[in-house]
Amino acid sequence: MKTLWTALLILMLQFFSAQENEVYADGVFGFEENKTQKIFTDWTRVRLDPGVNTQVVDSLQTNQQVMILKKEETVLKLGERAANWYKISYQKGENTLEGYIWGGNLCVGYRNKNGYDFLFGLSKTIDRKNKEYNQIEKQNIAGIKVLEGSTLIDEVYFDTGKGEELSSASFNIESSHKLQNVEFTLKAMVSGEACGIASYDQYVLFKDKKLITLPQLMNVGDVGAYYHTEEYVFPNDKGGFPNTFVLKTEDMEVDEKDREKKKHSSKTYLWNGSSYKLK
């Protein structure tokens, strides 16, 4: 009997240990089968089978279009990025080839306008010191690249939080917002799903084949407890001013008597047609 209980205990420990070590893919890397995607990371390795220890059969460049054939169950986590492996097909010359790539090397969004391809993806995880708590934290870095065909024109990089903040993503092209000499504006967003998990909005101006990042916006909250919101008021928005964008911040927290206490603040940035500065 003692041997039986010992065996059961070992099985239970193994079960819970397996649950703790199980890796789940971040939602931004959930790509649909039978749909096209694009490569974000240059020299992305194509493998014979899913897994980092399998044979490399090819490599793909940024902006290469691929077809998602199958989503594999295998998940690889590198830093704060966790993604499935995908079976893909792609064109090289007149040949259609197949293989497996890691989903973290794919774009999480891409757009085309005026002959340019704009790619949004997650590039890496870095260690960054949190000065407030005097500790090292993992931080994901995202990027936007602009290409003309296979030629890289420009690229910019910015923070996107941790793995739990990568539940969903969006990438859109907006107007110039009536900012002088700006051709149009890109907006990249990543967000978590749970309360207390931040979302990040990154605006990037496109002018003269250059990408110009604006200060990043962060929004976070817990229903009935607190929230922190940030938004821009551009010249074409209600209350906007010519060649100016205003960062508006609102903070709310509920005190011990269930009363909402709100604070508002703002920063004004002046745009001179090629760069901006804090007023």
Side-chain angles (χ1 to χ4, degrees):
M1 179 63 73
K2 185 176 180 180
T3 303
L4 177 60
W5 283 113
T6 301
L8 288 173
L9 179 60
I10 292 173
L11 286 172
M12 289 177 65
L13 289 173
Q14 290 176 339
F15 173 76
F16 288 116
S17 177
Q19 284 190 319
E20 289 178 0
N21 295 328
E22 191 168 359
V23 178
Y24 297 95
D26 298 313
V28 295
F29 301 123
F31 305 110
E32 294 184 39
E33 296 177 358
N34 300 315
K35 288 195 174 182
T36 56
Q37 292 295 334
K38 286 198 171 185
I39 297 294
F40 182 77
T41 304
D42 221 6
W43 299 103
T44 288
R45 293 174 177 176
V46 182
R47 296 183 179 273
L48 186 63
D49 294 292
V52 292
N53 295 319
T54 64
Q55 181 182 346
V56 177
V57 295
D58 203 352
S59 64
L60 301 178
Q61 305 302 304
T62 298
N63 208 30
Q64 167 77 49
Q65 182 169 287
V66 301
M67 173 68 71
I68 302 294
L69 299 178
K70 184 181 178 183
K71 178 181 179 179
E72 299 294 325
E73 294 298 322
T74 309
V75 176
L76 171 65
K77 184 175 183 180
L78 295 178
E80 285 289 297
R81 298 174 298 155
N84 294 83
W85 288 84
Y86 289 88
K87 185 178 182 180
I88 62 163
S89 66
Y90 57 97
Q91 293 293 129
K92 270 208 168 179
E94 298 180 354
N95 299 319
T96 300
L97 306 175
E98 294 184 359
Y100 294 85
I101 62 171
W102 181 54
N105 289 331
L106 290 166
C107 295
V108 296
Y110 58 90
R111 293 287 185 268
N112 177 277
K113 189 174 178 69
N114 298 346
Y116 298 104
D117 289 313
F118 297 90
L119 312 180
F120 171 38
L122 279 293
S123 64
K124 59 183 177 181
T125 302
I126 65 171
D127 290 330
R128 177 168 292 157
K129 187 174 182 179
N130 185 319
K131 295 181 180 179
E132 183 179 355
Y133 298 103
N134 193 30
Q135 62 184 19
I136 301 297
E137 295 181 342
K138 298 291 185 181
Q139 172 68 56
N140 281 317
I141 303 297
I144 293 176
K145 301 178 181 180
V146 53
L147 293 98
E148 193 169 18
S150 59
T151 303
L152 179 66
I153 304 299
D154 198 12
E155 57 187 332
V156 292
Y157 293 89
F158 45 89
D159 294 355
T160 49
K162 301 179 183 179
E164 63 267 25
E165 290 152 350
L166 300 180
S167 295
S168 61
S170 65
F171 185 49
N172 296 298
I173 296 178
E174 300 184 351
S175 70
S176 67
H177 292 291
K178 292 188 177 179
L179 291 169
Q180 181 184 0
N181 297 334
V182 174
E183 194 170 340
F184 46 81
T185 305
L186 304 166
K187 182 183 179 182
M189 182 276 292
V190 295
S191 176
E193 293 181 343
C195 292
I197 305 298
S199 64
Y200 299 89
D201 294 333
Q202 181 65 60
Y203 283 88
V204 179
L205 308 180
F206 184 64
K207 67 171 296 292
D208 300 330
K209 296 187 177 182
K210 292 294 184 182
L211 299 170
I212 301 170
T213 59
L214 302 189
Q216 191 175 67
L217 305 181
M218 189 269 284
N219 295 277
V220 65
D222 192 351
V223 177
Y226 74 95
Y227 64 74
H228 172 88
T229 63
E230 298 177 349
E231 66 175 350
Y232 281 128
V233 177
F234 289 107
N236 63 329
D237 293 325
K238 183 178 180 180
F241 302 95
N243 287 312
T244 299
F245 57 95
V246 181
L247 170 56
K248 288 194 171 184
T249 302
E250 180 176 321
D251 288 282
M252 186 282 293
E253 63 178 355
V254 177
D255 64 17
E256 65 277 1
K257 294 183 179 181
D258 288 333
R259 295 175 300 190
E260 290 187 357
K261 291 188 175 183
K262 295 183 180 181
K263 293 181 180 180
H264 298 84
S265 62
S266 65
K267 292 180 180 179
T268 299
Y269 295 88
L270 304 178
W271 172 256
N272 64 11
S274 60
S275 62
Y276 63 87
K277 66 178 181 178
L278 188 63
K279 183 177 179 181

